[in-house]
Amino acid sequence: MRRRRHADHHPQALSGAALSAVVLAVALALCTPLWADDQIAIAGDGTVHSVSPGFELAVGNATRILHVEQSPSGESVTRILPGTDNGTDFHPSIEIDPVTDLPMVAWTHVERGDAEIHLARFDGNEWTDSAAVAPGRGDDLDPELRIDKNLVHVLWRRETAGGDVVLLRASLDRATLALVLGPEHLPTTGIPLVSLEGSADAPAESPGLE
């Protein structure tokens, strides 16, 4: 379930600090499909877990993935996912582990121009260090996460330098997060690829396996 956040606009004279804020707001507006949505998951005990990217100007416009845990009583705690303060992090996808009733998050992490899918889990007190799911050539974006009793499934798209777009899936052991299957290409014949702007492209040909 997604919750969209909207920026408020107040007409007023711009100081230097305000001008900087406006520049950032414009940059955010241009990237709305990339940054705007929080991701929310509800555990079996009623605890609400949400994750969202948050900008930090002090660290060169890097982003941190923020986790907010709200108990059924209304008390909340905010945490920063490890490894999200040294690059650019976005597109978080959160799911509840059906065995532990605790969340796991996959997201896109960009560092030194390389975009990879990272994964971390919450143990009830803190998040584990994040790790790349399946590093490879190209930019890995838009992860989707599903968890069953045995496996963690991650689906994402990879954009290559040549302009090709492929869909990839990897399955990891739920307990150890060791790679069990993949990454494998998924067929896209007859499936319209939806761009970040929301328009559907023409059906793409199914990529061959490498």
Side-chain angles (χ1 to χ4, degrees):
M1 177 172 64
R2 297 189 180 214
R3 180 183 63 209
R4 186 169 295 279
R5 298 174 295 173
H6 299 282
D8 295 327
H9 300 281
H10 301 282
Q12 57 182 344
L14 296 179
S15 64
L19 181 59
S20 297
V22 169
V23 171
L24 177 58
V26 171
L28 285 173
L30 292 175
C31 297
T32 294
L34 201 63
W35 310 99
D37 290 344
D38 296 352
Q39 289 281 325
I40 300 173
I42 303 176
D45 65 357
T47 300
V48 177
H49 297 274
S50 65
V51 287
S52 61
F55 277 93
E56 289 290 344
L57 290 176
V59 289
N61 289 345
T63 58
R64 297 177 176 184
I65 301 294
L66 304 179
H67 165 233
V68 178
E69 176 188 12
Q70 183 170 328
S71 68
S73 66
E75 297 179 354
S76 64
V77 178
T78 301
R79 304 175 178 86
I80 298 173
L81 267 63
T84 67
D85 55 359
N86 60 353
T88 303
D89 301 86
F90 49 90
H91 287 156
S93 177
I94 186 170
E95 285 291 323
I96 300 297
D97 185 324
V99 177
T100 66
D101 202 34
L102 294 169
M104 191 176 300
V105 174
W107 70 94
T108 295
H109 175 76
V110 182
E111 189 172 359
R112 293 186 292 273
D114 186 28
E116 302 288 355
I117 303 301
H118 276 220
L119 184 69
R121 69 169 55 185
F122 186 57
D123 66 6
N125 294 304
E126 60 184 6
W127 286 88
T128 62
D129 291 336
S130 66
V133 172
R137 294 182 179 180
D139 290 329
D140 293 335
L141 306 164
D142 294 330
E144 292 291 339
L145 187 61
R146 295 293 183 270
I147 309 172
D148 61 33
K149 292 183 178 180
N150 298 306
L151 296 173
V152 175
H153 307 281
V154 187
L155 171 72
W156 72 96
R157 83 173 195 272
R158 175 171 291 170
E159 299 181 355
T160 68
D164 295 326
V165 178
V166 296
L167 299 181
L168 296 174
R169 185 270 300 272
S171 297
L172 302 89
D173 182 88
R174 188 201 60 79
T176 66
L177 296 185
L179 189 65
V180 174
L181 172 68
E184 62 176 353
H185 288 179
L186 297 180
T188 57
T189 299
I191 302 176
L193 298 180
V194 178
S195 68
L196 288 176
E197 290 73 25
S199 61
D201 298 330
E205 292 298 323
S206 176
L209 295 179
E210 295 179 353

